[in-house]
Amino acid sequence: MKKKIIYSLSSNKDLARKISRTEKAELGRVSIDHFADGEILVKTLSDVKNKDVTIVESTAKNAHERLFELLLLIDSIKRGKPHSINLYIPYFGYSRQERVSWINEPISCQVVANILDTAKVDKILTFDLHHPDIKKFFNTKFVSIPTASLFGKYYREYIRKHKINPKDVVVVSPDHGSNTRADQLVKELPGSKKVILNKHRPAPNFVEHLEINNKNISGKTCIIIDDIIDTGGTIVSATNLLYKYGAKDVLACASHAVLSGNSVNKLLNANISDLVFTNSIETDLVKSIKIIDISSLIEL
Ligand code: R5P
């Protein structure tokens, strides 16, 4: 068996540390320098010869720079002749631009896939990818791990602790894109039902309208599940609508805490009883927002 080495760059340092502990793998040392004009220089300070290398980096919070860090580190590592290189991109940035919604728009996600393909790594792994079709953009082996099992475990415990009748639980997909995600959570929570909301987004990060197809949520505990919370617009809008139709309680979870601008305040001011993310993106959050560790889903 080859020796394993795990790198993190500007993001996911904790996650990389956890994986290295569980896998008893060396933690790679890396230097990231900035030139006066903003260009970066990234290189490995550890020896990689004949080792199985894993690089952990979410392409969030300045996706372009995170992506470039990855590409430069891969090049640096390749010069040291490793046995293999896998990329763990817990949150895959640009994944929401996976199709043309308006005339002349780029499929940005495909552009990123093409760039990553040129790096010629062995495998790319991510969590709860925005849309399953994104895989088709890659020639490199690409795997997306669902996070529903982690949320399922969390909510089974929550339901037990709060003495909620499982039949009074409604899993809510805030738009049609999260339908499969909601189905996966329903399977994890026996007795629960699913409701899908209609969402209209006239411009990026702006949610105009949400409706409920099935209004049977009166007196229910609703759990909204999404892949990403960015501005918080979708979740807050969905929460308001669910209360309007008589929900007893609204809880929410999302795999990726993108959380731009004043989204945290927006979420804290909404009447969401419990809010959970994974640690796919490193964030300094207030205590009332919970974080579930995804490292248990990772096997090198
Ligand atoms: C959209 O397609 C995604 O699944 C999320 O619903 C969206 O990215 C959430 O963004 P925001 O928090 O800005 O509404």
Side-chain angles (χ1 to χ4, degrees):
M1 218 163 91
K2 301 286 173 199
K3 284 189 179 161
K4 296 174 188 170
I5 179 162
I6 321 279
Y7 286 88
S8 61
L9 285 151
S10 293
S11 71
N12 302 104
K13 290 189 197 311
D14 275 357
L15 188 59
R17 232 176 275 128
K18 275 185 187 133
I19 304 169
S20 79
R21 254 184 259 131
T22 329
E23 296 286 337
K24 297 191 174 32
E26 175 188 351
L27 207 51
R29 287 179 308 119
V30 67
S31 71
I32 307 174
D33 290 307
H34 288 83
F35 292 99
D37 62 356
E39 288 182 0
I40 52 173
L41 175 65
V42 182
K43 64 176 181 189
T44 174
L45 302 175
S46 301
D47 172 37
V48 292
K49 190 156 188 203
N50 229 5
K51 292 180 188 167
D52 286 321
V53 175
T54 299
I55 309 172
V56 186
E57 167 114 305
S58 280
T59 45
K61 304 201 187 293
N62 197 344
H64 346 292
E65 193 162 322
R66 299 293 81 77
L67 189 64
F68 219 70
E69 280 180 359
L70 267 177
L71 295 167
L72 296 186
L73 181 62
I74 294 166
D75 190 77
S76 160
I77 285 172
K78 279 194 165 176
R79 288 165 202 287
K81 305 213 179 332
H83 176 251
S84 67
I85 304 181
N86 289 338
L87 298 187
Y88 278 42
I89 308 183
Y91 169 67
F92 192 82
Y94 282 103
S95 57
R96 283 175 287 179
Q97 295 160 44
E98 95 286 2
R99 65 193 157 93
V100 175
S101 312
W102 300 95
I103 191 160
N104 291 341
E105 262 186 7
I107 304 182
S108 314
C109 183
Q110 186 170 24
V111 173
V112 173
N114 292 344
I115 294 171
L116 283 171
D117 271 344
T118 64
K120 300 216 180 314
V121 297
D122 294 271
K123 188 165 87 179
I124 302 175
L125 183 141
T126 190
F127 291 91
D128 195 7
L129 190 60
H130 178 64
H131 194 284
D133 281 357
I134 294 170
K135 276 187 202 170
K136 293 183 197 149
F137 296 144
F138 285 89
N139 291 320
T140 312
K141 188 172 175 197
F142 190 91
V143 178
S144 171
I145 301 178
T147 50
S149 61
L150 294 179
F151 290 125
K153 188 172 171 219
Y154 176 84
Y155 286 120
R156 283 194 298 277
E157 178 59 20
Y158 186 98
I159 289 166
R160 192 193 58 72
K161 210 168 125 194
H162 290 80
K163 299 186 175 42
I164 299 166
N165 182 344
K167 290 192 175 144
D168 287 335
V169 173
V170 175
V171 174
V172 179
S173 176
D175 51 32
H176 287 267
S178 274
N179 191 15
T180 309
R181 216 163 270 123
D183 282 337
Q184 288 166 348
L185 189 56
V186 167
K187 272 197 198 137
E188 294 281 333
L189 305 175
S192 66
K193 300 261 174 327
K194 182 185 78 174
V195 160
I196 308 176
L197 308 185
N198 286 324
K199 179 170 87 175
H200 177 49
R201 198 185 267 294
N205 293 330
F206 184 69
V207 176
E208 193 174 68
H209 191 54
L210 285 156
E211 276 174 11
I212 300 184
N213 290 339
N214 172 353
K215 299 192 177 73
N216 192 12
I217 53 154
S218 179
K220 307 286 186 200
T221 295
C222 296
I223 305 176
I224 310 172
I225 181 161
D226 210 343
D227 55 337
I228 298 163
I229 298 184
D230 184 358
T231 63
T234 301
I235 294 293
V236 171
S237 190
T239 302
N240 293 339
L241 196 78
L242 293 166
Y243 280 123
K244 184 174 150 194
Y245 284 102
K248 183 179 168 214
D249 221 358
V250 177
L251 326 176
C253 64
S255 299
H256 310 296
V258 173
L259 299 178
S260 310
N262 71 340
S263 56
V264 172
N265 280 339
K266 212 157 138 187
L267 291 164
L268 293 176
N269 289 328
N271 200 1
I272 302 169
S273 308
D274 191 80
L275 181 58
V276 196
F277 294 100
T278 77
N279 55 346
S280 69
I281 298 174
E282 228 164 36
T283 348
D284 290 329
L285 284 179
V286 288
K287 274 196 187 137
S288 55
I289 299 180
K290 312 213 178 65
I291 297 291
I292 301 179
D293 179 29
I294 45 171
S295 64
S296 62
L297 296 177
I298 296 175
E299 263 177 49
L300 297 190

